[in-house]
Amino acid sequence: MPQVVRSRIAVLHGAHPATPLPRSFRSLADRAAVEVLHRAARVLVASLPVLTDRLVEALYEQEPGYRAAIDSDRAEVWQEVHHSLRHNVGSLIQPREFRDAAHRTSRWIGEIRAGQGVPLDAVLHAFRMGGAMVWQDLVDETARRDPDDVRLLVHVAADVWNFVDEHCGIVADAYRQAERRLSWRRENQQRLMVAALLDGTARIADLCEAAAMLGLPEQGRYAVLAVASAPGGPQQQDPARPPLNLPAALSPGEGLSTAPGAAPLWHTGPDAAFAILRLTGGPGDPGEPGELHAIADALDAPAGTRAGIGSAVDGLAALGDARRLAETALRACPASGGTVVLDEHLPDALIVSSPALGSALADRVLGPLDRLDPSDRDVILETLTAWLDADGSAQRAGARLYCHRNTVLNRLRRFEQLTGRCLTRPRDAVEVSLALAARRLLGS
């Protein structure tokens, strides 16, 4: 109860406040008004079970936020309301004895209702309904005993409602603190669950719980996106902040369909950040051929960012495999940055999946060129790469290199003489293509 009421009631017990209240805050209530309040409050204390029944019924009828709780456990709600009324009405009579207990009860109610998900507005409405019912009963009891005494209650009305507002503030503060704790705990559990799914360490028995917690279907179709800065580039400062804003880049139907109103789930590892992408197809459904490519095209990555999108997998249980596929795609990204869809760069994925074998192949196929002057060697490699990118057309390769097609053919013949490879032989062409990829990706 506010100090103005406690000090006024303390006069009746022979106690005085340590510091007088300013004149502007003094109540007009006198000893008679306080005695009337006490007399009516004692009657309420004696009939608390009936008052509790009425308030619980009123909550059920007038406050939808409480209906589920009352339907679930009416006895628990009844005890909560009775406990609160007993301490709060008791505070009108004996503020010193009941004040701390009343505050503890209000804080407890705020925490409990936050944990149950009852809206804060509903909890505050319940407290104000209780305050209104108590005040009306005080007036009715006073009028029944002596109608002339009702006028005296006017002097304590503001103090009674200040008391109600004080406890509404206590409830709101406790509710918000509990809500923050619950939110942090929920977010932490989600982070741990996402990490376990991407690491492949989640138990099969936990997948149903994970699906409910994350708002994802257990048997949906997924891919994983891996994002990292280019070597030597700026690193992400805040590990909790996603490096790409995927919802802004994509909308449902364009390759990414997250839970309604939710962003893709991110997990930040030591070398890269990973996002779980929920795809539009069902289990075993290959989906549109360009679905993953559409995601890659929609990414708006800062310059120097490397992104890899792994192949699609079925079910939450396969997200560990999806993460490893995304890491493979990320390793196949150019060092300067870019986006690689694994399904469109499988030869490169083979190279980065076995760097030792890739380096050995590059040395075996391209090693003879290393005996040349570096500038001469680079011209041959550039010409060979342009010719392969042009599907074996010397004309198009020459246009790309700003030289005549015969110049391209002469350089290719020189390559064949130095390495002993024949570019018209399919097996040799495959080995040359893989060797060039290994030198580009591994720096061999």
Side-chain angles (χ1 to χ4, degrees), residues 250-272:
L250 299 172
S251 60
E254 290 182 317
L256 177 63
S257 177
T258 60
L265 298 168
W266 285 92
H267 170 69
T268 301
D271 300 317

Side-chain angles (χ1 to χ4, degrees), residues 25-70:
F25 289 91
R26 287 185 182 275
S27 172
L28 297 176
D30 56 10
R31 180 184 296 271
V34 175
E35 288 177 350
V36 169
L37 175 66
H38 282 189
R39 187 165 55 244
R42 289 191 185 96
V43 176
L44 264 63
V45 169
S47 60
L48 272 183
V50 176
L51 178 58
T52 303
D53 288 340
R54 288 167 49 211
L55 181 52
V56 171
E57 191 61 33
L59 285 174
Y60 189 83
E61 293 178 356
Q62 301 177 33
E63 181 43 69
Y66 264 78
R67 287 176 190 163
I70 295 174

Side-chain angles (χ1 to χ4, degrees), residues 18-364:
T19 304
L21 291 171
R23 179 175 298 273
S24 60
F25 289 91
R26 287 185 182 275
S27 172
L28 297 176
D30 56 10
R31 180 184 296 271
V34 175
E35 288 177 350
V36 169
L37 175 66
H38 282 189
R39 187 165 55 244
R42 289 191 185 96
V43 176
L44 264 63
V45 169
S47 60
L48 272 183
V50 176
L51 178 58
T52 303
D53 288 340
R54 288 167 49 211
L55 181 52
V56 171
E57 191 61 33
L59 285 174
Y60 189 83
E61 293 178 356
Q62 301 177 33
E63 181 43 69
Y66 264 78
R67 287 176 190 163
I70 295 174
D71 284 334
S72 175
D73 194 341
R74 191 181 190 93
E76 187 269 339
V77 176
W78 193 96
Q79 289 294 338
E80 172 192 303
V81 172
H82 184 268
H83 202 60
S84 179
L85 287 173
R86 180 164 61 86
H87 287 100
N88 291 337
V89 175
S91 295
L92 298 176
I93 306 170
Q94 296 175 298
R96 288 185 178 179
E97 288 77 358
F98 283 93
R99 179 179 184 274
D100 289 343
H103 283 191
R104 286 194 299 271
T105 299
S106 295
R107 282 194 294 269
W108 174 76
I109 292 173
E111 292 173 355
I112 290 296
R113 293 305 170 207
Q116 294 173 342
V118 177
L120 177 57
D121 287 346
V123 181
L124 296 178
H125 185 209
F127 265 76
R128 293 191 177 99
M129 287 176 62
M133 189 171 289
V134 167
W135 174 251
Q136 187 61 52
D137 281 8
L138 290 172
V139 173
D140 291 346
E141 174 57 29
T142 301
R144 185 188 65 80
R145 178 180 290 270
D146 188 345
D148 290 339
D149 286 345
V150 172
R151 61 183 176 80
L152 295 173
L153 288 181
V154 174
H155 300 306
V156 296
D159 299 318
V160 171
W161 283 105
N162 285 341
F163 176 84
V164 174
D165 287 342
E166 176 188 11
H167 280 263
C168 284
I170 293 171
V171 167
D173 183 63
Y175 186 101
R176 294 188 182 101
Q177 289 184 19
E179 197 173 39
R180 285 193 293 270
R181 290 194 300 270
L182 291 169
S183 178
W184 178 88
R185 189 178 305 149
R186 184 165 50 250
E187 291 173 0
N188 192 50
Q189 289 175 340
Q190 288 181 346
R191 283 194 294 269
L192 293 175
M193 183 60 72
V194 169
L197 289 171
L198 290 173
D199 289 342
T201 57
R203 299 182 304 174
I204 297 297
D206 294 335
L207 292 180
C208 182
E209 178 185 355
M213 179 188 301
L214 303 177
L216 297 173
E218 184 177 348
Q219 299 302 326
R221 188 164 175 267
Y222 299 96
V224 171
L225 165 69
V227 180
S229 299
Q235 299 299 313
Q236 186 182 342
Q237 297 299 317
D238 183 2
R241 183 178 180 183
L244 296 177
N245 188 3
L246 288 178
L250 299 172
S251 60
E254 290 182 317
L256 177 63
S257 177
T258 60
L265 298 168
W266 285 92
H267 170 69
T268 301
D271 300 317
F274 301 92
I276 297 175
L277 306 178
R278 178 181 167 186
L279 306 178
T280 56
D285 181 4
E288 297 181 10
E291 184 174 8
L292 296 176
H293 187 71
I295 296 176
D297 289 343
L299 296 180
D300 185 15
T305 299
R306 299 162 55 239
I309 302 176
S311 302
V313 299
D314 292 330
L316 294 178
L319 282 178
D321 295 333
R323 190 216 76 206
R324 287 185 283 274
L325 292 172
E327 288 179 321
T328 300
L330 185 62
R331 289 196 297 271
C333 283
S336 58
T339 301
V340 165
V341 177
L342 183 64
D343 290 350
E344 298 176 357
H345 294 79
L346 292 178
D348 290 352
L350 290 174
I351 296 296
V352 298
S353 296
S354 183
L357 292 178
S359 296
L361 177 64
D363 290 342
R364 178 182 176 186

